[in-house]
Amino acid sequence: MILHIDMDAFYASVEERENPELVGKPVIVGGKPETRGVVAAANYEARRFGVHSAISAAAARRLCPQAIVLPPRMDFYAGIARQIRAIFARYTPLVEPLSLDEAFLDTGGSEHLFGKAEVIGRRIKDEIRNELRLVASVGVAPNKFLAKIASDLEKPDGMVVVVPGKEQQFLDPLPIGRLWGVGRVTGSVFERLGIATIGQLRALPQESLQDLAGRVGVRLWELAHGIDDRKVIPDRDAKTISHESTFASDITDQEMLRAWLLDLTEQVGRRLRRHELSGRTVHLKIRLADFQTVTRARTLPRPTNVTQELWEASAELLTRYAEGKKLSVRLLGMGVSGLQSDPRLQQQLFDNEDHQKQGQLDAVADAIQNRFGGAAIRRGSRLFRDNA
């Protein structure tokens, strides 16, 4: 069985934990409303006013003028995410992080030690609550797709189990918007046809779905039937280490996209160094509002895990693709492939002064954060987002 564990309003919940006076008040983590800032997270009190991640801070202020707006502390949140992953590791080595606040876990090999997957999920929820004073929602299902949907259905503090053999009973009543690949454009096509639920979509022949939605149609048919054979791939076995963010509303501002890309790049860089890996090819993934997915890649002269080098490559890919375009972006992802763990890479990496300086900066920052917590040191290049 697969678990999908998703922290509830993670950044905002951390801030509430650190300052109990915030509890019960609308809290937004993001940039300043008077500038070009973006909402990174909103607690459930703020969400009642229509505030959600990825909208502009100015729009959030109009929706909820009484909200308390706090600057993001991404390094601090990353330190807490490491504590959460340590709890996961007590139950299974098969953990695939998706971002700081969510991950897939494969408990198939652990159930003889700890009990059924549902028992493991509840234990993890309890330990996160008792040890870190934070709340997670958990989905338990036979595959990734179903587990991801399940974790979102009863937020906050949800626990939903999809029993093997009852996948269709679980899926059929849900709106088709729950399917990956059904966005505004595709959804409007199905709406005109009177198709509102996954069960109604499942009744269509695969050929009809392909005619309606092109290549996406085949995948929609599979998902509507609960088919998803992807494995949980931990970092140590991954051919690519990546992070991506799906936005609650499409982002059109390119500076906001750069800000999100910087966060993604820093997370990838830290994971590479934690596993003593370097990679040679930098990947950019962009999913547009119409669900067209664009990928770009750049192969570097040599493998690296230096954040600055990864950022320069990923930012260049975004700039080249976005130049002259009016983008509306639903998802943004960044990854590194061509992974190597040869210790001789460090000597190659530091054969000029700039590479050596950037690599040493990363090493010092990682060491300080690991010892004193994520907020102990901050990268200077972060300031353009945190002060946005």
Side-chain angles (χ1 to χ4, degrees):
M1 294 286 278
I2 306 297
L3 273 59
H4 180 259
I5 302 181
D6 194 3
M7 302 303 297
D8 295 333
F10 181 51
Y11 304 161
S13 295
V14 169
E15 297 296 346
E16 290 178 336
R17 185 192 75 175
E18 298 300 302
N19 181 5
E21 293 183 1
L22 297 174
V23 176
K25 301 174 182 176
V27 175
I28 295 171
V29 177
K32 298 177 181 178
E34 60 270 20
T35 66
R36 295 167 61 87
V38 61
V39 173
N43 69 356
Y44 288 92
E45 285 75 15
R47 293 183 193 186
R48 294 191 184 102
F49 293 87
V51 178
H52 52 76
S53 63
I55 69 172
S56 70
R61 173 56 59 88
R62 289 193 296 270
L63 290 168
C64 187
Q66 70 272 38
I68 299 168
V69 181
L70 302 173
R73 298 190 287 168
M74 298 305 297
D75 293 328
F76 185 52
Y77 309 145
I80 297 170
R82 286 193 290 272
Q83 295 175 303
I84 295 169
R85 286 195 295 271
I87 293 175
F88 298 162
R90 297 171 188 171
Y91 295 95
T92 176
L94 299 178
V95 177
E96 181 182 338
L98 301 180
S99 61
L100 291 181
D101 60 347
E102 62 176 320
F104 286 114
L105 286 68
D106 186 334
T107 61
S110 306
E111 294 178 17
H112 67 288
L113 293 173
F114 303 108
K116 293 182 178 180
E118 179 179 355
V119 173
I120 294 174
R122 292 192 184 280
R123 289 179 65 169
I124 289 174
K125 274 175 62 73
D126 290 344
E127 289 173 22
I128 290 173
R129 185 191 300 274
N130 295 336
E131 297 176 27
L132 303 179
R133 293 183 288 126
L134 294 169
V135 178
S137 289
V138 178
V140 184
N143 62 47
K144 281 183 169 182
F145 166 63
L146 295 169
K148 172 79 169 175
I149 289 182
S151 70
D152 193 50
L153 281 183
E154 295 184 4
K155 276 180 165 290
D157 200 15
M159 179 78 191
V160 176
V161 179
V162 182
V163 178
K166 296 187 176 181
E167 292 89 348
Q168 297 304 155
Q169 183 178 331
F170 169 75
L171 281 173
D172 283 356
L174 298 178
I176 59 171
R178 292 283 182 180
L179 292 175
W180 298 339
V182 177
R184 186 174 62 251
V185 176
T186 309
S188 64
V189 172
F190 290 127
E191 183 180 354
R192 289 196 297 271
L193 295 173
I195 298 171
T197 68
I198 293 176
Q200 291 172 328
L201 185 144
R202 183 167 67 91
L204 295 176
Q206 185 178 116
E207 295 77 12
S208 298
L209 276 175
Q210 192 167 1
D211 290 340
L212 288 169
R215 290 177 299 174
V216 176
V218 176
R219 185 58 173 155
L220 290 177
W221 185 90
E222 293 175 344
L223 295 177
H225 286 77
I227 299 170
D228 181 17
D229 59 2
R230 294 171 304 146
K231 305 297 183 184
V232 173
I233 303 175
D235 282 353
R236 68 171 190 272
D237 298 329
K239 296 181 180 179
T240 300
I241 286 184
S242 62
H243 271 299
E244 61 184 41
S245 289
T246 300
F247 309 121
S249 64
D250 301 336
I251 291 182
T252 58
D253 188 292
Q254 292 192 21
E255 286 304 308
M256 289 186 187
L257 290 175
R258 284 175 58 86
W260 281 103
L261 183 59
L262 177 58
D263 276 343
L264 297 171
T265 303
E266 290 194 324
Q267 292 180 51
V268 169
R270 281 194 292 266
R271 285 172 64 190
L272 287 168
R273 294 188 294 273
R274 185 166 66 245
H275 294 280
E276 299 181 351
L277 295 170
S278 293
R280 189 162 187 170
T281 302
V282 174
H283 301 265
L284 178 71
K285 176 181 177 181
I286 299 173
R287 182 166 296 149
L288 302 174
D290 62 359
F291 273 86
Q292 176 189 355
T293 300
V294 177
T295 58
R296 294 291 185 270
R298 177 185 168 189
T299 299
L300 304 175
R302 52 194 161 190
T304 184
N305 58 21
V306 172
T307 295
Q308 183 63 31
E309 290 187 327
L310 299 174
W311 165 241
E312 289 172 358
S314 61
E316 180 185 3
L317 290 171
L318 177 62
T319 299
R320 285 187 176 182
Y321 174 72
E323 186 174 6
K325 297 184 177 73
K326 293 183 178 180
L327 298 180
S328 184
V329 176
R330 178 184 177 86
L331 176 148
L332 184 67
M334 181 270 176
V336 177
S337 66
L339 304 182
Q340 301 182 31
S341 56
D342 188 341
R344 292 173 296 178
L345 291 175
Q346 290 301 316
Q347 182 177 355
Q348 297 172 3
L349 180 63
F350 295 156
D351 63 0
N352 73 49
E353 185 176 352
D354 184 58
H355 289 181
Q356 183 175 11
K357 185 181 299 182
Q358 292 296 333
Q360 290 173 342
L361 174 64
D362 285 337
V364 170
D366 291 346
I368 292 173
Q369 290 170 18
N370 290 339
R371 183 170 181 182
F372 298 107
I377 188 169
R378 302 174 69 80
R379 180 179 299 272
S381 61
R382 294 298 309 264
L383 296 178
F384 89 86
R385 173 171 183 177
D386 290 357
N387 292 333

